[in-house]
Amino acid sequence: MTDSSKKIPSFIRSASVLALGTLLFTAGCTAPESPTEDSNVETQESASRLTSITDSGKLKVCTTGDYRPFTYLDPKTKEWSGIDIDMAKNLAKSLEVEAEFVQTTWKDLMPDFTSKCDIAVGGVSISLERSQQAYYSEATLDEGKTPITLCENVDKYDTIKEINQPGVRSITPIGGTNEKFADANYPKGEIIRFKDNNKIFDEIIAGRADVMTTDASETRWVAHEHPELCAVHPDKPFNFSQKAYLLPLGDDQFQEYVNQWLNMSKHDGTLKAAEKPWFG
């Protein structure tokens, strides 16, 4: 110990050591600075699907491929077509990426969408059940269930009461809202449950069924394809429903982008151009 240290009272030396220790401890325990507003914005933006889509260069689109005029996968050529197929491609183009289609089924639509895709399209109806697991875009179409039959029989099957009669053969695909509607509204009639939705209308033309009740948009497309068949009051359907696109739950930024794109598409002719080959 030096002479100078001997001159410093012991209580001062102890206080100095204590102060230095306290200072070092305080510096080590200082809370990190709160994130700035800019960093919060950056985190929110990176969480949006918009970022992962542009980074990957792909918009992954879930669709069933069995519901014309909205979505169809040709079993021979493996080519996709349909109103919503064209619209999905246009959405991808607006993001400067490629659309990649992922085939699913109506049964597996929701789990496939939440695990594999950025968006789901193809005549998807809005329902409260689906709304618990996904966002929706703005409605792409307002419609409802309406009959289609041979043109000569339009006046015979233009009300639920007329169709709900013994001897009237209502054909419907197995599963889905068409079968549910037939079961609920035509208990007195004969319900024919048919497996192949792509060939179901041939049964009416061949005389093996009298009428089918389905979405008004589908009846318009079928009437355009088959002159023998007529859509029965498609502008005044039996009930009300809407179609839209499924979007990731909680992603407000992506939903806002899709809604803005959809609004512009409805007014600049994009949607009408996609519909024209199917509705005429």
Side-chain angles (χ1 to χ4, degrees):
M1 183 177 295
T2 63
D3 293 338
S4 60
S5 63
K6 291 180 179 179
K7 297 178 182 179
I8 302 175
S10 59
F11 76 88
I12 294 179
R13 290 201 303 270
S14 299
S16 299
V17 171
L18 179 61
L20 178 61
T22 302
L23 178 63
L24 292 173
F25 177 81
T26 303
C29 296
T30 301
E33 293 184 3
S34 301
T36 64
E37 183 177 348
D38 289 342
S39 65
N40 283 336
V41 172
E42 183 179 349
T43 301
Q44 292 172 4
E45 288 179 349
S46 63
S48 174
R49 196 63 61 94
L50 282 171
T51 302
S52 61
I53 291 170
T54 54
D55 287 347
S56 67
K58 293 180 180 180
L59 174 71
K60 294 184 178 180
V61 185
C62 276
T63 188
T64 61
D66 68 347
Y67 187 19
R68 289 174 288 185
F70 301 104
T71 174
Y72 181 64
L73 178 62
D74 191 298
K76 295 180 180 180
T77 65
K78 302 301 180 183
E79 294 290 328
W80 290 94
S81 61
I83 296 170
D84 285 351
I85 298 299
D86 288 346
M87 292 299 288
K89 290 179 179 178
N90 186 269
L91 173 60
K93 183 179 179 181
S94 76
L95 292 166
E96 299 183 351
V97 300
E98 295 291 327
E100 179 181 299
F101 295 99
V102 179
Q103 188 176 21
T104 184
T105 65
W106 290 108
K107 178 183 177 181
D108 297 324
L109 175 63
M110 188 58 69
D112 281 348
F113 163 66
T114 55
S115 64
K116 301 177 183 179
C117 296
D118 304 306
I119 188 171
V121 307
V124 180
S125 297
I126 295 177
S127 73
L128 294 177
E129 181 181 358
R130 287 173 177 156
S131 294
Q132 295 176 13
Q133 304 175 67
Y135 271 177
Y136 277 106
S137 69
E138 292 181 356
T140 58
L141 182 67
D142 295 345
E143 61 170 1
K145 302 296 183 187
T146 199
I148 184 165
T149 185
L150 292 172
C151 293
E152 62 200 58
N153 292 332
V154 166
D155 292 337
K156 292 174 61 175
Y157 305 123
D158 59 353
T159 68
I160 289 178
K161 183 178 180 179
E162 289 172 335
I163 299 173
N164 185 32
Q165 295 293 331
V168 176
R169 300 166 298 172
S170 292
I171 194 166
T172 181
I174 298 173
T177 57
N178 288 339
E179 185 178 29
K180 290 180 180 179
F181 186 91
D183 286 337
N185 292 279
Y186 309 138
K188 297 179 182 178
E190 178 185 348
I191 298 177
I192 302 172
R193 304 174 200 277
F194 200 74
K195 292 183 178 180
D196 191 347
N197 197 42
N198 288 317
K199 297 180 180 179
I200 196 168
F201 300 101
D202 295 336
E203 297 298 295
I204 302 176
I205 296 173
R208 292 187 287 267
D210 298 313
V211 63
M212 177 178 172
T213 305
T214 185
D215 293 330
S217 54
E218 187 174 28
T219 67
R220 284 196 289 263
W221 165 72
V222 173
H224 179 61
E225 291 290 307
H226 301 281
E228 311 97 314
L229 299 176
C230 283
V232 183
H233 53 63
D235 295 329
K236 296 180 179 180
F238 290 147
N239 61 5
F240 173 78
S241 64
Q242 290 181 307
K243 298 190 183 303
Y245 303 140
L246 284 177
L247 302 171
L249 185 68
D251 195 337
D252 295 333
Q253 293 183 27
F254 189 42
Q255 183 189 46
E256 179 66 17
Y257 182 88
V258 172
N259 283 340
Q260 291 296 333
W261 160 81
L262 184 57
N263 181 58
M264 294 173 65
S265 298
K266 289 177 178 179
H267 291 86
D268 66 8
T270 300
L271 180 57
K272 288 184 178 179
E275 293 176 340
K276 187 174 182 180
W278 299 89
F279 295 148

